[in-house]
Each structure stands twice: as C-alpha cells, then as structure tokens.
Amino acid sequence: MTYPIVIYGHLILRKVAEDIDNNYPGLQQLISDLFETMYWSDGLGLAAPQIGKSIRIFVIDGAPLAEDEPSLKDFKKVFINAHITERCGDLKPMSEGCLSIPNIREEVNRESHIRIEYYDENWVHHNEVFDGYKARIIQHEYDHLDGILFTDKVNPLKKRLLKSKLTAISKGKFEADYKTILPGQKVKSS
Ligand SMILES: [Zn+2]
C-alpha cells in the first residue's frame, strides 16, 4: 500500500527516530510500502518519518538518475538502524528537493564521503563507505532520521527568503501529485 507523505511543519519530521528490533511487526511489509510510496510519488529516497513512523529506516532507488549518473543504475537499497560513523571529504554544493517540502529546490553543501553502519532487509549488518551521488542521497535520507531537513542546511540568506514559502507549505498551499499529511493532522498508526 502507499502512505500519504508527511509535510513540512509536522512535528514527527523533527523527532530523532529510534532503532528497531529484527522482530519489528510487519517489517517486510513496511519496506515494500516504503518503496511503493516512494515510486508512486517519484522520489529517489524515502525515510520512515516521512510516512509518520519515527524509526530508523530509509529506502533509496537511484535508477531514475542512472542516465546522468551510471553508478546509480543498481543503487536500490534498504537501510535499517542506520548510523553514519564518519563523514569526510570536501563539502560540495548540489541542488536538492524533498517529498515533504514540495516544489522547493535549493543548493545544499554535503561531505563527499561517508561511512555508515546499517542492516539490510535480510537483517545482514553492513559497515560501508559511499561517495559522490550515493553519499549525497544517503545523507539526505539519513538526516530525516535525526529530525533534520535539507532546508535547515541552506545558507542564512536563502533561509530567510525561504521562510514564507515554508510557512505556506506547512499550511497546505502547494501542489503535489501524491497524498499528504499536513502539520496538525494525525498520522496513521499501525
Ligand atoms: Zn527528504
């Protein structure tokens, strides 16, 4: 099934998400729902807090960018209990967007290399290094687990210019082709 996407201003997007056990009820279903919701809303990644679940899971499929970034062709992954343990390399700017912040794109600086520990969908532990575009997408989704949004990371001038746009979004003044949950609305519990 697909979930509605939680929109900017909702408190659940600001919580630090928690690790889960490998007997978390309905884990495989949740993973497939995350992918389904992500594909349906044309995202490259989706984190559980964005569907109203404050747990440390996100999914990524970079295939839509494979034409420009061949390395992303088979970059389809599930990250459970993700923890970034190292970030290094030059800070590089790149334009980002987010399903929780419709119709906004801004340049964000991020480190070029990361090391991350996580479990995959088969509960196999990984400790891996990623760079380039992969590191960028992972860091964006990972930030959702720590209650951080990409608009927090734009420069102070841009941030000031964004303020009224973000307020409008949090009040539902935006167009999106997917179902959404606005601040103040209840997320589905299961
Ligand atoms: Zn996002």
Side-chain angles (χ1 to χ4, degrees):
M1 65 175 271
T2 59
Y3 282 83
I5 303 283
V6 176
I7 294 298
Y8 183 93
H10 201 293
L11 294 178
I12 200 154
L13 293 178
R14 293 309 193 176
K15 284 173 76 172
V16 175
E18 294 184 349
D19 284 341
I20 58 166
D21 296 330
N22 62 357
N23 58 1
Y24 184 85
L27 179 58
Q28 293 307 321
Q29 184 64 48
L30 175 63
I31 291 167
S32 93
D33 290 346
L34 277 166
F35 275 116
E36 197 180 338
T37 303
M38 179 185 79
Y39 291 134
W40 191 68
S41 21
D42 276 332
L44 294 171
L46 187 65
Q50 294 181 277
I51 61 162
K53 296 182 187 298
S54 195
I55 53 177
R56 297 188 83 81
I57 302 185
F58 59 87
V59 299
I60 288 174
D61 189 345
L65 292 182
E67 213 166 287
D68 297 327
E69 284 288 330
S71 69
L72 296 177
K73 186 169 161 275
D74 301 311
F75 189 53
K76 179 180 175 183
K77 273 180 170 300
V78 179
F79 295 79
I80 301 171
N81 293 353
H83 292 276
I84 290 179
T85 55
E86 277 177 66
R87 301 174 195 250
C88 63
D90 295 336
L91 281 173
K92 288 193 178 137
M94 195 183 274
S95 167
E96 295 188 15
C98 181
L99 293 173
S100 294
I101 313 176
N103 315 126
I104 301 241
R105 291 198 74 83
E106 290 294 344
E107 293 225 318
V108 180
N109 283 314
R110 293 193 190 274
E111 279 93 349
S112 57
H113 291 67
I114 58 158
R115 178 180 290 280
I116 185 167
E117 289 193 38
Y118 64 97
Y119 291 86
D120 65 21
E121 64 276 28
N122 302 312
W123 211 265
V124 175
H125 187 258
H126 298 264
N127 181 346
E128 286 175 0
V129 171
F130 293 95
D131 62 7
Y133 222 122
K134 293 178 181 176
R136 164 138 329 241
I137 302 173
I138 290 171
Q139 286 179 85
H140 177 113
E141 298 311 325
Y142 182 84
D143 274 352
H144 280 295
L145 307 186
D146 284 341
I148 298 166
L149 300 168
F150 83 94
T151 47
D152 302 343
K153 302 197 159 209
V154 302
N155 73 50
L157 174 64
K158 278 273 169 56
K159 216 180 260 183
R160 241 187 309 147
L161 295 172
L162 269 178
K163 209 173 171 211
S164 61
K165 285 188 195 169
L166 291 173
T167 304
I169 286 171
S170 69
K171 291 179 175 157
K173 291 177 192 148
F174 60 83
E175 305 278 338
D177 297 334
Y178 42 89
K179 296 173 285 178
T180 57
I181 292 181
L182 295 175
Q185 291 182 327
K186 278 230 169 85
V187 294
K188 242 202 217 151
S189 57
S190 62

